[in-house]
Amino acid sequence: MDKASNNDFSIEIESPDDKEKNKSLSFRKLETASGIRHATIVEIVNGKKNAAWSTVDALLDGLEINLTDFASIYDSLSEADVLAYKKELEKRKEEREKKKKRKKNNS
């Protein structure tokens, strides 16, 4: 993932039923569309929080996809995709920890 602020990061979903239809939402737009707080979305995406079923349902509604389409997208992910995502999450975690240490040392 490119380095981008949480406000600029977008989610792109391509529906298996309609390859021409591509949805792109910023986290802020997804917050508005789903009713889920921006901070909660960011925590879920960053692996800091697990989503309750009601949250997943609201996010899918906000993305205007159904569970079947989401499952198809999820099933299409390769092991390399999952490993790259986990690596990015670990990198973000390390960056947060370094930032906390610097802040603590500067205090």
Side-chain angles (χ1 to χ4, degrees), residues 65-107:
I65 62 172
N66 61 38
L67 183 58
T68 302
D69 289 346
F70 177 76
S72 294
I73 294 164
Y74 182 83
D75 285 343
S76 72
L77 296 174
S78 68
E79 187 67 26
D81 294 330
V82 173
L83 291 174
Y85 181 71
K86 287 181 177 181
K87 185 177 179 180
E88 180 64 27
L89 288 179
E90 187 60 35
K91 181 180 169 186
R92 289 180 187 186
K93 181 179 177 182
E94 289 172 4
E95 288 171 357
R96 285 191 307 270
E97 289 172 358
K98 286 179 185 178
K99 189 175 179 180
K100 282 182 184 179
K101 278 186 178 180
R102 282 193 304 267
K103 189 174 182 180
K104 185 177 179 180
N105 290 337
N106 290 336
S107 297

Side-chain angles (χ1 to χ4, degrees), residues 10-97:
S10 66
I11 299 169
E12 294 185 14
I13 302 289
E14 189 170 303
S15 171
D17 296 327
D18 186 3
K19 298 284 184 191
E20 301 295 319
K21 189 175 183 180
N22 191 19
K23 299 189 182 299
S24 180
L25 289 173
S26 71
F27 288 167
R28 292 282 182 204
K29 288 179 183 175
L30 184 55
E31 173 186 36
T32 300
S34 67
I36 302 300
R37 291 180 331 117
H38 175 265
T40 300
I41 295 168
V42 171
E43 288 173 338
I44 292 167
V45 170
N46 288 333
K48 293 171 111 180
K49 184 175 189 170
N50 292 322
W53 175 248
S54 58
T55 303
V56 172
D57 188 47
L59 291 171
L60 292 176
D61 283 346
L63 291 167
E64 297 179 0
I65 62 172
N66 61 38
L67 183 58
T68 302
D69 289 346
F70 177 76
S72 294
I73 294 164
Y74 182 83
D75 285 343
S76 72
L77 296 174
S78 68
E79 187 67 26
D81 294 330
V82 173
L83 291 174
Y85 181 71
K86 287 181 177 181
K87 185 177 179 180
E88 180 64 27
L89 288 179
E90 187 60 35
K91 181 180 169 186
R92 289 180 187 186
K93 181 179 177 182
E94 289 172 4
E95 288 171 357
R96 285 191 307 270
E97 289 172 358

